[in-house]
Amino acid sequence: MILILDFGGQYTQLIARRVRELQVYCEIHPFDVSPEVVRRLDPEGVILSGGPASVYDTDAPQPHPGVLELLTSGSPPVLGICYGMGILNRAFGGEVARSERKEFGPADIRVVRMDPFFALGGRSTRVWMSHGDRMASIPREMETLATSENSPHAAFRHRTRPIYGVQFHPEVTHTADGREMLRNFVLRVANARADWTMESFVEQEVVRLRARVGDKRVVCALSGGVDSTVTAALVQQAVGDRLTCIFVDNGLLRAGEVEEVVGIFRDRMQLDVRLVDAAARFLENLRGVEDPERKRRIIGTTFIEVFEQEAKTIPHATFLAQGTLYPDVIESISVRGPSATIKSHHNVGGLPERMQLELLEPLRELFKDEVRRLGRVLGLPDAIITRQPFPGPGLAIRVIGPVDAERLRIVRGADAIVQDEIRRAELYQSLWQAFAVLLPVKTVGVMGDERTYENVLAIRAVQSSDGMTADWARLPDDLLGRLSTRIINEVAGVNRVVYDISSKPPATIEWE
């Protein structure tokens, strides 16, 4: 296994994802994990994540002194990424200082020394930087492996021990040779075995779920998306008919979604599904609420209340299974490290403190693409596995501002057109997400020789492999034209359509 120490970096889970892509098991633990835990885990290698702090700050997160001693010994091999590089540099007496010019985004580094980590030398490669500090000096024990215009020591290694540091982020897709660098560290430097697969994950998780649930019953929160459906299939394999699924019609779903997904659950997956119509309750609780964080928390709380009410009618129901994923966790709360909160997810940050059901989150440390692979291992229908992500709070966060039935009608109608045209253009599978967002803006238009003053509708389409980073999709002009024409002509209340060309970062995929 590979041990990842989390210093609060937003990309920490991406590091884990890249390691798992190599079929190597890994675990994320807090930066201050004890030496006893490290010895028990006995990792083949350790990776120190990035983080938002500066290593020279007085309250900067630091490893346990005993762990730092292990790290500097080079047994096991160590890779420090960005903030993690600074930890290693200072541990050996090097200097880390505020950079005169911050580096956020793409940069070119030149590899100046051959090494198994790079497996290349004497050429430049594009990397992704995200830092405001630089290695002002490195100790004599270290040697520089690569430089950039702003970082004289963009990568280094210990002269005699397998200890590496990089100023950039090899885990993000924007680093051209990043996957190869991590592969070299994990498989060549650390000599880890590539023996972790989705099949082995199923075996381990089924045993764990059976042990935890015992003879109790599980209620599973189904949304119709791939995450909750895979969760239900996995839990069903573990506990069989002691699983009851609840599908809540919260009034925030897309057109025709209730009938479609309930049919799949009951007819094709043979799940015990209860359909609960709570649309009026959700809309009443959301009345007049504009702040997106309040929306998410209200929706999360209402979901749990509905589940708990329904669970009371199920004898021995003790657990609530949810399709929480890594990106949900890292963007909502700091679970294992001091990560900055981006936004709350309805099934993470929105949970009430005194929830009566115990949570089961078997996918909590998986990414979306891993969940899709897991779904195929479990034999789920392609109609579920290939569905584009849909947010748990539903259309409520695609209505910017207050949510009511009329504004939901507008965004629901526009979304149906987006889904239809994207599929007709045979782009559905190549896009991570494509959807409509209703803005709290009205503009003047002319329709039928008359002046109109109606709503603005934004279209968002992105490409991504994991949801942690994304780029706006370059949709064909004729497709954008059809989308605009159809939405304006078919959805009453819209007279202007715009297209979002923002990437993540700096923007998020959803607008709220």
Side-chain angles (χ1 to χ4, degrees):
M1 68 159 294
I2 297 295
L3 170 62
I4 301 169
L5 297 188
D6 181 14
F7 288 88
Q10 291 299 320
Y11 299 140
T12 300
Q13 280 70 19
L14 268 182
I15 302 172
R17 179 179 177 276
R18 299 296 180 231
V19 174
R20 291 180 192 156
E21 285 176 351
L22 301 172
Q23 295 188 350
V24 174
Y25 180 68
C26 64
E27 289 186 12
I28 299 174
H29 285 262
F31 64 91
D32 56 354
V33 64
S34 70
E36 292 74 24
V37 171
V38 176
R39 293 190 187 96
R40 175 178 57 81
L41 294 172
D42 191 26
E44 275 75 32
V46 179
I47 299 177
L48 312 183
S49 81
S54 294
V55 294
Y56 47 78
D57 291 343
T58 55
D59 57 349
Q62 298 288 334
H64 186 287
V67 172
L68 187 60
E69 184 177 345
L70 287 173
L71 298 177
T72 54
S73 72
S75 180
V78 180
L79 170 62
I81 296 175
C82 201
Y83 183 92
M85 181 189 196
I87 290 289
L88 294 175
N89 195 37
R90 283 170 60 91
F92 284 98
E95 181 185 1
V96 181
R98 176 67 62 183
S99 179
E100 295 178 0
R101 181 167 61 88
K102 297 181 178 180
E103 280 188 304
F104 294 101
D108 291 316
I109 64 167
R110 181 164 184 80
V111 180
V112 297
R113 182 171 280 103
M114 285 290 293
D115 186 87
F117 178 78
F118 284 107
L120 50 86
R123 72 171 179 88
S124 296
T125 184
R126 179 60 58 94
V127 300
W128 185 262
M129 296 283 193
S130 182
H131 65 93
D133 296 331
R134 66 187 180 96
M135 305 303 114
S137 68
I138 63 174
R140 285 184 297 179
E141 294 95 329
M142 300 293 185
E143 57 184 355
T144 301
L145 297 180
T147 65
S148 72
E149 182 180 351
N150 195 47
S151 299
H153 311 289
F156 64 40
R157 68 155 291 165
H158 194 281
R159 294 181 185 275
T160 60
R161 304 170 191 169
I163 300 173
Y164 291 81
V166 293
Q167 187 70 75
F168 53 88
H169 289 271
E171 68 272 24
V172 303
T173 56
H174 306 294
T175 296
D177 298 304
R179 296 190 187 200
E180 190 63 26
M181 296 172 191
L182 288 175
R183 175 188 295 274
N184 291 336
F185 174 77
V186 171
L187 299 182
R188 298 180 64 184
V189 177
N191 292 314
R193 291 199 310 273
D195 58 3
W196 187 76
T197 63
M198 281 298 108
E199 287 81 2
S200 66
F201 176 85
V202 171
E203 293 175 4
Q204 296 166 8
E205 197 61 28
V206 165
V207 171
R208 190 188 70 82
L209 287 170
R210 285 174 179 164
R212 184 175 177 197
V213 173
D215 60 355
K216 305 298 183 182
R217 293 192 64 85
V218 180
V219 178
C220 182
L222 280 180
S223 69
V226 63
D227 307 333
S228 64
T229 307
V230 171
T231 298
L234 185 60
V235 174
Q236 184 185 45
Q237 187 161 323
V239 304
D241 60 6
R242 283 181 289 115
L243 168 68
T244 299
C245 299
I246 298 176
F247 183 82
V248 177
D249 180 1
N250 57 11
L252 307 172
L253 302 175
R254 291 174 290 196
E257 191 156 22
V258 174
E259 297 77 12
E260 178 188 358
V261 299
V262 171
I264 291 175
F265 294 150
R266 289 176 175 169
D267 301 335
R268 299 184 62 181
M269 297 180 61
Q270 305 299 308
L271 289 173
D272 175 18
V273 180
R274 297 190 182 187
L275 175 60
V276 181
D277 184 356
R281 181 172 182 174
F282 276 85
L283 286 180
E284 178 60 30
N285 290 349
L286 288 168
R287 183 190 298 272
V289 177
E290 297 187 28
D291 180 73
E293 281 297 289
R294 283 195 63 205
K295 285 184 189 178
R296 288 176 177 272
R297 293 182 181 280
I298 287 171
I299 292 168
T301 301
T302 307
F303 260 119
I304 300 302
E305 291 171 351
V306 171
F307 291 140
E308 289 184 331
Q309 275 189 341
E310 195 68 20
K312 289 177 181 178
T313 67
I314 304 172
H316 309 296
T318 306
F319 296 93
L320 168 61
Q322 288 195 144
T324 306
L325 303 191
Y326 252 178
D328 299 337
V329 174
I330 192 61
E331 289 189 346
S332 297
I333 53 176
S334 175
V335 176
R336 290 175 171 159
S339 309
T341 297
I342 303 299
K343 59 185 178 183
S344 295
H345 287 259
H346 78 288
N347 55 348
V348 183
L351 296 179
E353 292 182 2
R354 293 188 177 181
M355 191 183 64
Q356 297 176 22
L357 297 171
E358 294 184 45
L359 271 182
L360 288 179
E361 297 174 312
L363 312 183
R364 190 179 178 88
E365 299 188 350
L366 296 183
F367 285 89
K368 180 73 73 172
D369 61 324
E370 294 177 314
V371 174
R372 293 191 198 281
R373 292 203 303 272
L374 178 59
R376 289 189 170 90
V377 170
L378 294 170
L380 297 189
D382 279 346
I384 290 292
I385 294 175
T386 60
R387 292 191 84 194
Q388 291 183 357
F390 185 65
L395 297 177
I397 59 170
R398 292 179 180 174
V399 173
I400 310 303
V403 178
D404 56 39
E406 172 62 13
R407 294 177 69 77
L408 285 170
R409 177 194 65 79
I410 293 173
V411 77
R412 185 177 286 117
D415 177 82
I417 293 172
V418 171
Q419 301 305 311
D420 181 49
E421 289 292 341
I422 291 296
R423 290 182 184 275
R424 287 189 183 190
E426 299 183 348
L427 293 175
Y428 187 84
Q429 299 300 332
S430 63
L431 295 174
W432 177 261
Q433 273 176 278
F435 55 90
V437 181
L438 181 59
L439 308 187
V441 176
K442 288 190 174 184
T443 63
V444 174
V446 178
M447 301 176 74
D449 296 326
E450 294 184 355
R451 178 186 185 275
T452 63
Y453 190 59
E454 299 287 6
N455 295 282
V456 178
L457 198 290
I459 296 172
R460 178 77 158 143
V462 299
Q463 294 175 318
S464 177
S465 61
D466 47 49
M468 294 297 287
T469 61
D471 193 15
W472 62 277
R474 276 65 172 173
L475 297 184
D477 292 348
D478 59 341
L479 173 57
L480 289 172
R482 288 197 304 275
L483 286 169
S484 177
T485 299
R486 284 194 61 189
I487 290 171
I488 291 173
N489 288 340
E490 300 176 28
V491 182
V494 178
N495 69 357
R496 191 178 300 270
V497 174
V498 299
Y499 187 56
D500 183 350
I501 59 170
S502 308
S503 296
K504 176 186 179 180
T508 53
I509 295 177
E510 298 287 347
W511 279 45
E512 288 191 344

